[in-house]
Amino acid sequence: MSLSRRQFNRIIIWGGASFTASATSGIFFPKPAEAYSLEYPLNALSADRVFNGIQKYCGAQPIPGILSPILQGNTNVSNQIEASAANVIRTADQEFVNRNFTNNRTELALTGSGSNFAADTSRLWGRQKQDKVGPNVGFGFVQKFEDQYSDSKISGPTMCAIHNSQQILADQRLTPPEIAASLLPTRSRLDDWGTWGGDADASVGRNPGVAFSQYDTSAGTVTSRYDLVEPGPKGFGRVELTVEAENQPRRVILITVRF
C-alpha cells in the first residue's frame, strides 16, 4: 500500500457516539473522535500486500515453511506450534478453500509477544480469490484465550479497510503493538465473509449491497459497514471502519474503493 498524507483528509469531530462519564458530577461528556477519508483502487489489493502491511505496521513476524505442513496434517510441528492451534488453523483454512479463496496464500505470521506458545500471540495468514469486480482478500486470525483457541475469518471490504487504516494509525504515531491492538481481531468468533457485492450470506436478511461486521480487539472494538454505491467494473463502494480503542480517540475511517 502506498499512501501519502495528501491522499486523505483529516477532520476532527468533537462528539459522535462515544461518551465518557464524570465520576463526580454524573454528567456525560463526548469523547473526542477523528474522521478520515481516502480512496483506494481495488486492483491494488492482494493478499501479499495485506500481509506485508501487517508486518510493517502491526509488527507481525512471519514463520516461513510452517503453514504448509500444518495444512497437510503434519504432526511434526509441535515444537513450533501447539497441536490444538494447528488444528484450528487447518479447519479455518479449509473453510477459505471451500469459499474459493484458493489463490496467493501467504505464510503464517505472529503478532503479540512473538512466542508461538504465548497467550497474547495471534497467528494469522491470508488467501485471495477473484470477485466479479476485483480481488477479494481473506485473512484468518487464531488466538489463545483461557487455554482455548478460537479463530476469526475476515474478508472483502473489512479486510481492505484494515489494510488501509494501518498507515493512518501509524501517521498518528501509534506503535506497531498499539496498531495491532486497535485493528486486529482477538477472542472473536465472528466470521466476516463480505464481498464487493455486499454480504455473502443472504439468509440473514440484510439489504442487498450492504455488509456489516463487528469484532473485538485486544484494545476495544472495530465496527465495519460496507455499501455498494455503484455496481459494475467502473463502479465503487464505500466501507466505514469505526475503531474504538482504550486511551485513544474514536476513529471513523471512510474508504471509497474504486473497482
Side-chain angles (χ1 to χ4, degrees):
M1 179 180 64
S2 177
L3 291 174
S4 68
R5 289 179 181 272
R6 289 189 295 272
Q7 288 177 287
F8 64 86
N9 299 319
R10 181 174 179 225
I11 307 167
I12 305 299
I13 305 171
W14 293 91
S18 294
F19 297 89
T20 56
S22 166
T24 55
S25 66
I27 300 174
F28 285 86
F29 295 99
K31 179 181 178 180
E34 300 175 356
Y36 305 82
S37 178
L38 59 91
E39 293 192 0
Y40 185 77
L42 183 55
N43 61 11
L45 188 67
S46 72
D48 284 338
R49 287 177 177 170
V50 174
F51 189 70
N52 292 337
I54 293 175
Q55 290 179 68
K56 178 179 179 180
Y57 294 111
C58 294
Q61 299 295 318
I63 317 175
I66 193 174
L67 186 55
S68 290
I70 289 174
L71 300 183
Q72 293 165 6
N74 192 326
T75 59
N76 296 324
V77 296
S78 58
N79 62 330
Q80 296 177 282
I81 192 165
E82 291 183 55
S84 51
N87 288 336
V88 172
I89 291 169
R90 193 178 301 114
T91 301
D93 192 76
Q94 185 59 52
E95 189 164 359
F96 276 114
V97 174
N98 293 343
R99 292 176 179 267
N100 297 318
F101 286 85
T102 56
N103 301 326
N104 202 15
R105 194 194 74 206
T106 72
E107 298 283 0
L108 189 71
L110 305 178
T111 62
S113 69
S115 168
N116 278 302
F117 304 106
D120 67 338
T121 298
S122 181
R123 302 137 186 91
L124 59 93
W125 74 103
R127 282 184 174 271
Q128 184 175 333
K129 73 173 183 177
Q130 187 70 17
D131 281 352
K132 290 181 179 180
V133 295
N136 185 337
V137 169
F139 266 67
F141 302 85
V142 172
Q143 181 157 343
K144 185 178 184 180
F145 179 66
E146 294 182 349
D147 296 325
Q148 297 291 324
Y149 286 98
S150 63
D151 67 272
S152 298
K153 296 174 283 288
I154 295 178
S155 66
T158 301
M159 202 64 229
C160 181
I162 292 171
H163 174 57
N164 279 276
S165 298
Q166 294 173 118
Q167 185 173 334
I168 291 176
L169 299 190
D171 284 344
Q172 303 310 305
R173 302 185 182 278
L174 271 69
T175 65
E178 289 173 330
I179 296 172
S182 298
L183 288 177
L184 302 186
T186 61
R187 300 190 296 277
S188 175
R189 298 179 185 273
L190 174 68
D191 290 338
D192 178 357
W193 296 112
T195 72
W196 298 112
D199 197 291
D201 186 1
S203 66
V204 298
R206 295 173 182 170
N207 295 329
V210 177
F212 178 83
S213 179
Q214 187 175 73
Y215 61 86
D216 295 332
T217 67
S218 61
T221 304
V222 168
T223 304
S224 171
R225 178 191 170 101
Y226 170 73
D227 291 272
L228 175 62
V229 180
E230 185 176 325
K234 300 296 182 180
F236 66 97
R238 292 195 178 99
V239 54
E240 181 179 277
L241 199 75
T242 302
V243 182
E244 301 195 65
E246 185 179 8
N247 300 322
Q248 294 289 331
R250 179 174 181 264
R251 293 183 170 97
V252 180
I253 302 167
L254 180 65
I255 300 161
T256 299
V257 182
R258 300 286 179 182
F259 304 153

